[in-house]
Amino acid sequence: MSSVPSDPRRLRVALVTAGGLLVVLIGTAVLTGSLTSFLEADVSGWLLGAMIVGASAGYLAVLLTLGEASAILTSIVLPTLGAVAAFLVVGGVLFGLGSGDPLRGPTFVLMQFSAPGVYVVAVLSALAAVVFRMGTPPHRDAGSRSVG
């Protein structure tokens, strides 16, 4: 497994889908209207932004480490798990920093499973992985293979 894609189209499509995931996650968070409806915790406004950026970075990192010939299920599930894990780790670490309570971060992470945010990240990153798996734009010719 190589961390650098051999096909420049693969890197380009991965960056586009990760950027699209970032934009859609930000749009979804804005549409929900409040942090408590997305995270269901007493948090400040900057934490959700950091968690969304972390989710997009986790998605991209896993996506780029997968081989070009990865199985369909692997190429969808692993980037989704990377996005969800990064979303939770960033939130848990940043929420627990400086509190003096060693359980504040892990408690925050466990609380996220009762909030819609983690599920929104999972669904949207799975959709982004499916789009990446489809490959290049729909107007590509039949002779060129997909990059996913």
Side-chain angles (χ1 to χ4, degrees):
M1 291 192 327
S2 169
S3 64
V4 177
S6 59
D7 188 358
R9 292 181 312 146
R10 182 172 171 84
L11 177 62
R12 198 172 29 243
V13 173
L15 289 173
V16 167
T17 58
L21 175 63
L22 179 67
V23 168
V24 171
L25 283 173
I26 290 171
T28 304
V30 168
L31 287 177
T32 59
S34 71
L35 286 174
T36 56
S37 63
F38 200 78
L39 294 180
E40 196 173 305
D42 184 26
V43 296
S44 61
W46 60 270
L47 183 61
L48 179 59
M51 291 172 71
I52 287 174
V53 170
S56 296
Y59 165 81
L60 183 61
V62 172
L63 194 65
L64 291 179
T65 58
L66 290 176
E68 292 178 13
S70 298
I72 291 174
L73 188 61
T74 302
S75 64
I76 294 171
V77 171
L78 289 181
T80 300
L81 290 176
V84 170
F87 182 78
L88 293 173
V89 167
V90 167
V93 167
L94 292 178
F95 191 73
L97 279 179
S99 69
D101 182 7
L103 295 178
R104 187 173 183 205
T107 303
F108 174 78
V109 169
L110 289 176
M111 286 174 34
Q112 294 313 300
F113 288 102
S114 67
V118 72
Y119 302 108
V120 168
V121 169
V123 168
L124 292 177
S125 60
L127 287 174
V130 168
V131 168
F132 176 77
R133 182 78 184 162
M134 289 170 40
T136 54
H139 54 78
R140 71 182 167 94
D141 60 356
S144 65
R145 62 179 179 75
S146 72
V147 296

